[in-house]
Amino acid sequence: MQKTILITGGAGFIGSHVVRLFVNKYPNYQIINLDSLTYAGNLENLQDIEDKENYTFIKGDITDEVFINNLFEVEKPDSVIHLAAESHVDRSITDPLAFAKTNILGTMILLNAFKNLWSANWENKLFYHVSTDEVYGTLGETGLFTETTAYDPNSPYSASKASSDHFVRAYGETYNLPYVISNCSNNYGSYQFPEKLIPLFINNIINNKALPVYGDGNYTRDWLYVMDHAIAIDLIFHKGVVTETYNIGGFNEWKNIDLVKLLCQQMDLKLKRESGSSEKLITYVKDRPGHDLRYAIDATKINKELGWEPSVTFQEGLSKTIDWYLDNNEWLENVNSSAYKNYYKDQYE
Ligand code: NAD
Ligand code: TYD
């Protein structure tokens, strides 16, 4: 079946994996990648598919209502897979309004444009909203986030994502807009901007720079290889039940300090450095304000209903990720641009 799918944020980390998967797997679908190319958006992430006939890139901002309405009128996308967002917690602490604008207003503008286009007949239409487990707030030492856990966001980032989830649901209730939402745990893998923990620390180890561990390092995250997230999105897009929410996670909890030590060991081996040399770079720094203690997902629903499970172990995924960064030095050099350097200086120096 022919379809036109608008993927927002496709030049970012997760979006580029989703775009690549859909463009290669579904030659009958027209894939439009809409991205404003903020500091986190990078068309180098998609060089291998940019000439494919079923792929189009459009540069544009989801908060520009006139532009978005016009785009929907012209392209008439049957479905939207919405990933565009400001995505980094630390940046949300310094600039919360930017997060409200893109993540809340931008999502509403997309929802509105989709409603204006299709509300007379919703048949075969879908708005897929990609969200995060951070909307649930923090866990203590035990327990898991399920799809029915109450929202309790703590950072401006997670509050803006929680708000966008609520608006998606509200459009479903009020206008019958067909939607699905997924809330995923922390992703890692190739093409991730080196501001998030794993690529930042890989980048710093390569350059013999300090590894800034926030607080005591005893914070826990549930890590998922990015391709497994993209595969889950494909499954939910095609087989998910409209108006349902799916939690996606790696069944893979790590305390930050243990993860960093594992990363250091793997980096020493791959860089043929003396064992223990990367660990010496670990530096405990001031904690993140409002730092959530622990995230962990119960992914039973997507496992039971859609048959999804992670395809790689963390050790394998991490090893592949490190190899990718080591083999793609040019990509890393390019993103180590002046904008990133300024951010790094403000955040850590
Ligand atoms: P990212 O920051 O790498 O990419 C975001 C992309 O959105 C960039 O290409 C950027 O240019 C684009 N963008 C930002 N503002 C825009 C705007 N106003 N208009 C158009 N494009 C805009 O983010 P990511 O890590 O790939 O995350 C993608 C989505 O997945 C986000 O919605 C995020 O909340 C969600 N998510 C991320 C994770 C994770 O671990 N990274 C986990 C769960 C959910
Ligand atoms: P991050 O990758 O920013 O993802 P999130 O905040 O969305 O979970 O951070 C993952 C964990 O690593 C989080 O507990 C904060 C911690 N962290 C550090 O200790 N140092 C750093 O420099 C960064 C970026 C994160």
Side-chain angles (χ1 to χ4, degrees), residues 5 70 72 82 146 265 271 277 279 313 319 335 341 346:
I5 306 176
N70 185 49
F72 275 67
H82 176 35
T146 72
Q265 284 158 19
L271 291 169
S277 50
E279 261 193 55
T313 66
S319 173
V335 296
K341 279 194 192 129
D346 290 348

Side-chain angles (χ1 to χ4, degrees), residues 12-14 35-36 38 41 61-62 83 87 131 157 161 184 187:
F13 164 49
I14 302 169
D35 199 297
S36 64
T38 66
D61 190 329
I62 59 167
L83 296 110
S87 69
S131 193
Y157 165 64
K161 290 296 289 187
C184 188
N187 284 215

Side-chain angles (χ1 to χ4, degrees), residues 105-178:
L105 185 64
T107 301
M108 290 184 72
I109 286 173
L110 291 171
L111 286 165
N112 234 26
F114 199 60
K115 169 177 86 67
N116 291 343
L117 190 60
W118 298 121
S119 61
N121 180 5
W122 287 121
E123 209 181 320
N124 293 325
K125 305 296 179 287
L126 184 67
F127 191 101
Y128 184 149
H129 181 58
V130 176
S131 193
T132 169
D133 62 351
E134 302 190 28
V135 297
Y136 299 121
T138 188
L139 292 164
E141 295 294 339
T142 59
L144 297 171
F145 296 134
T146 72
E147 287 80 0
T148 55
T149 302
Y151 277 31
D152 191 16
N154 291 315
S155 73
Y157 165 64
S158 54
S160 67
K161 290 296 289 187
S163 173
S164 67
D165 293 11
H166 290 320
F167 274 109
V168 174
R169 256 186 216 110
Y171 272 67
E173 286 296 318
T174 310
Y175 308 110
N176 292 321
L177 181 143

Side-chain angles (χ1 to χ4, degrees), residues 14 17-18 21-22 187 224-235:
I14 302 169
H17 287 276
V18 175
L21 178 69
F22 273 70
N187 284 215
L224 180 68
Y225 191 53
V226 64
M227 264 319 292
D228 284 326
H229 188 186
I231 290 167
I233 289 174
D234 179 17
L235 260 179

Side-chain angles (χ1 to χ4, degrees), residues 88-90 134 186 195-197 200-201 212-214 219 221 256 288 291 295 348:
H88 188 37
V89 174
D90 292 325
E134 302 190 28
N186 287 60
E195 63 183 355
K196 308 272 169 66
L197 181 72
L200 175 76
F201 280 30
V213 172
Y214 295 161
Y219 294 89
R221 298 292 183 264
N256 291 342
R288 171 188 280 175
H291 199 165
Y295 304 144
Y348 296 104

Side-chain angles (χ1 to χ4, degrees), residues 126 179-181 236 239-246 305-306:
L126 184 67
Y179 72 88
V180 283
I181 300 176
I236 294 168
K239 302 210 169 105
V241 177
V242 169
T243 75
E244 290 288 314
T245 283
Y246 296 87
E305 293 185 11
L306 305 182

Side-chain angles (χ1 to χ4, degrees), residues 4-12 19 30-38 41 43 46 50 55-62 64 67-68 70-77 84:
T4 300
I5 306 176
L6 180 75
I7 301 184
T8 70
V19 166
Q30 278 304 318
I31 304 298
I32 301 172
N33 171 13
L34 169 69
D35 199 297
S36 64
L37 302 181
T38 66
L43 288 179
L46 290 164
E50 66 192 5
Y55 172 70
T56 312
F57 171 71
I58 298 178
K59 185 171 188 292
D61 190 329
I62 59 167
D64 182 343
F67 168 80
I68 291 295
N70 185 49
L71 176 76
F72 275 67
E73 280 298 321
V74 174
E75 302 292 347
K76 300 199 168 21

